[in-house]
Amino acid sequence: MMKGSGIASDHLHMQAAVLPQDEPEAGSSGPPEPIHTQALLAQVLERANLQRALKQVRQNKGAPGIDGMTVDALPEYLRHHWPQIRTQLIEGRYCPRPVRRVEIPKPDGKTRPLGIPTVLDRFIQQAIAQVVSAQWEPRFHDHSYGFRPQRSAHQAVRHVQAMIRSGYNWVVDVDLQAFFDRVNHDRLMARLKRHCPDTGLLRLINRFLKSGVQIGARRAPTTMGVPQGGPLSPVLANVVLDELDWELERRGLRFARYADDCNILVRSRRAGERVMARVTRYVSDTLRLTVNPLKSAVDRPKNRKFLGFTVSRNGARLKVADKAIDKLKARVRELTRRTRGNTIAVIVAELRETLLGWKAYFGIAEVLSPLREIDKWVRRKLRCYLWKQWGPSGYRELRRRGVTVREAWNTSKTAHGPWRISKTPALTLALPLRYFETLGLPSLAPR
């Protein structure tokens, strides 16, 4: 067993954790070349790689897996147990724990499954993902944008927009049915081996693929799919779908892919239908996956959404998709429920965090009218919240804020409900835009 010792790292802003000081010699992380059989597993276990992985797992936070261990408890756990874990990894004896499966509500009332690996397994997956990603990066296609260094969803959206503006104004929107649950393990492992020919690393990845899931008290094996919820899953998804990218390139097609979300741009409906038929057949016969016929379509780009965006009818300007707006509104309704009983300052602080996060992603939108409408709607929700809180003292609060006696009286004695009242001139005067700006409420649309 190789000895581990504690390290205190100011750079990581965390408590000391036991990670190996003396590592086996690591191989090159450049473009794939013939590699010594243990070189890549050694890279996974390098101290610097493990430090990066630990930092990333702590930043990502997340719920505990089936063992109940929290992210904050991981450094101390590694302090005491890392030498044994490291030996298990080197000798091929490490066995990942089953992934805890939970159901997450969706805006349409349905649920989607989410996997939560243990924190220790997330740490090891992250360390593996960093090495596998480095080996595959030189191979990946330029128009694959998901979960890659220096690439983003915004770049994918801009690329689609540029293709539309250059005359490719029909989109083949390909949705892969339950992609992460249906990846074929044999094909994935064979493909991984092409650029990661390290038997120890491949054996470890295969064990993560087959670690199983735990649903309540019941455990079930995993014979297909990749470990959802873990940091290794996006990298493996790119390895699988890289094959599709190069097939689309071989056929001379223009496309953008972000994880399992793929848009192919063509010049006519007829061409789009032909491409859809051929891609569907390729996905089924070669990748052993399924194109979802209910969610895939050949249509004008303005009628489809890609990564939360669509485009305007004229000029193909970027526009926030209706579904993304509906999801934001659902969150705002949740935060402004009267039964929460919080002060307006607390409500605005929570809204600020949500709105700024939303704006950081959707701020590239070029059609601003929907954003202005959301700004107005959010302020109206807050006026409604305050009016409900004022209750019987509504008249006095309006007068104190400069509303005339007549307007204050008519507003406070009306039979209309709070939502209707929130749009009255009295509430707008008493709670103007500058009042919410003073509280720190951000605007989604630039002024």
Side-chain angles (χ1 to χ4, degrees):
M1 181 184 300
M2 296 191 69
K3 185 177 180 181
S5 59
I7 58 169
S9 175
D10 292 335
H11 174 66
L12 296 184
H13 304 289
M14 61 187 177
Q15 292 180 345
V18 172
L19 295 176
Q21 293 276 14
D22 301 315
E23 301 295 340
E25 186 178 352
S28 170
S29 60
E33 296 291 342
I35 301 170
H36 186 273
T37 182
Q38 291 300 321
L40 293 180
L41 183 56
Q43 286 185 36
V44 170
L45 298 175
E46 277 186 343
R47 184 166 175 261
N49 187 60
L50 294 170
Q51 284 181 318
R52 282 178 56 208
L54 184 56
K55 178 182 179 182
Q56 191 62 51
V57 168
R58 286 171 64 84
Q59 284 181 345
N60 291 345
K61 300 181 180 179
I66 63 172
D67 61 355
M69 185 192 300
T70 65
V71 171
D72 291 336
L74 179 60
E76 185 65 20
Y77 181 85
L78 292 175
R79 176 189 295 276
H80 296 288
H81 299 281
W82 176 249
Q84 298 95 318
I85 296 168
R86 187 177 185 282
T87 299
Q88 291 173 5
L89 290 166
I90 291 172
E91 296 178 354
R93 296 186 290 107
Y94 183 81
C95 292
R97 304 290 297 275
V99 172
R100 181 162 71 92
R101 176 68 60 85
V102 296
E103 297 292 329
I104 304 298
K106 294 171 66 176
D108 59 6
K110 299 179 182 178
T111 61
R112 66 178 178 88
L114 176 68
I116 306 175
T118 65
V119 174
L120 176 60
D121 283 342
R122 295 208 295 268
F123 166 61
I124 296 172
Q125 281 192 39
Q126 180 65 39
I128 296 170
Q130 289 164 182
V131 171
V132 173
S133 176
Q135 291 301 122
W136 275 82
E137 263 303 311
R139 163 69 185 173
F140 286 147
H141 197 282
D142 281 346
H143 296 152
S144 163
Y145 295 93
F147 308 107
R148 295 181 59 192
Q150 284 79 53
R151 290 177 180 266
S152 67
H154 287 173
Q155 292 173 335
V157 170
R158 291 291 194 192
H159 181 60
V160 167
Q161 181 187 33
M163 287 188 288
I164 295 168
R165 286 179 168 173
S166 64
Y168 293 84
N169 47 19
W170 286 88
V171 62
V172 182
D173 189 353
V174 179
D175 181 89
L176 299 178
Q177 189 167 350
F179 167 73
F180 286 93
D181 292 327
R182 297 188 178 185
V183 169
N184 182 280
H185 287 177
D186 291 339
R187 293 201 82 262
L188 170 57
M189 294 307 299
R191 190 156 179 80
L192 270 174
K193 190 175 181 179
R194 295 176 60 181
H195 300 295
C196 297
D198 181 325
T199 55
L201 179 58
L202 292 174
R203 184 189 306 117
L204 180 58
I205 293 173
N206 195 49
R207 286 191 173 181
F208 273 109
L209 292 175
K210 300 188 183 302
S211 60
V213 297
Q214 180 160 320
I215 308 168
R218 180 175 63 88
R219 293 191 180 184
T222 45
T223 57
M224 62 175 63
V226 292
Q228 286 194 61
L232 187 55
S233 177
V235 179
L236 297 183
N238 276 336
V239 170
V240 172
L241 294 177
D242 177 68
E243 198 169 356
L244 173 63
D245 296 340
W246 289 104
E247 179 64 18
L248 297 178
E249 171 77 18
R250 188 184 69 79
R251 298 183 183 195
L253 296 171
R254 289 159 174 79
F255 70 97
R257 182 180 64 78
Y258 191 97
D260 59 333
D261 201 345
C262 183
N263 270 193
I264 305 167
L265 281 298
V266 294
R267 292 187 183 274
S268 68
R269 175 181 287 277
R270 184 177 178 182
E273 290 171 348
R274 185 170 61 249
V275 167
M276 177 66 83
R278 291 176 178 174
V279 168
T280 299
R281 189 163 53 250
Y282 177 82
V283 166
S284 175
D285 295 348
T286 303
L287 301 184
R288 301 183 194 175
L289 296 167
T290 304
V291 172
N292 188 341
L294 299 179
K295 294 185 177 180
S296 302
V298 177
D299 207 340
R300 293 289 192 181
K302 66 183 177 62
N303 297 326
R304 307 298 296 179
K305 66 180 180 66
F306 181 57
L307 303 176
F309 291 91
T310 185
V311 295
S312 64
R313 186 186 304 271
N314 298 316
R317 293 180 299 153
L318 293 182
K319 180 181 177 183
V320 180
D322 291 343
K323 191 173 181 179
I325 292 175
D326 292 342
K327 188 174 180 180
L328 174 64
K329 285 188 171 183
R331 177 60 177 160
V332 172
R333 289 189 187 98
E334 181 183 341
L335 292 175
T336 56
R337 287 198 321 269
R338 180 179 62 169
T339 52
R340 300 189 67 214
N342 291 328
T343 65
I344 191 65
V346 170
I347 296 297
V348 169
E350 293 176 339
L351 278 174
R352 177 180 175 81
E353 183 178 354
T354 295
L355 294 175
L356 287 178
W358 197 89
K359 185 176 182 179
Y361 182 75
F362 289 105
I364 66 169
E366 297 159 336
V367 178
L368 300 180
S369 52
L371 305 186
R372 296 190 184 102
E373 290 303 313
I374 297 174
D375 284 336
K376 294 176 184 176
W377 180 83
V378 169
R379 291 195 294 270
R380 186 177 175 189
K381 289 291 292 183
L382 292 174
R383 291 184 183 111
C384 182
Y385 184 88
L386 278 170
W387 181 253
K388 291 173 183 176
Q389 276 201 334
W390 290 345
S393 28
Y395 173 81
R396 290 195 302 273
E397 292 290 346
L398 290 176
R399 287 288 296 129
R400 191 164 67 85
R401 287 167 168 77
V403 179
T404 65
V405 171
R406 181 175 180 179
E407 280 289 341
W409 179 262
N410 288 341
T411 302
S412 59
K413 297 304 178 182
T414 182
H416 295 310
W419 181 243
R420 179 89 172 264
I421 292 172
S422 66
K423 201 176 181 181
T424 59
L427 264 292
T428 304
L429 176 63
L431 302 169
L433 170 61
R434 64 178 176 274
Y435 169 76
F436 296 111
E437 288 178 335
T438 301
L439 289 174
L441 183 71
S443 294
L444 299 179
R447 297 200 185 99

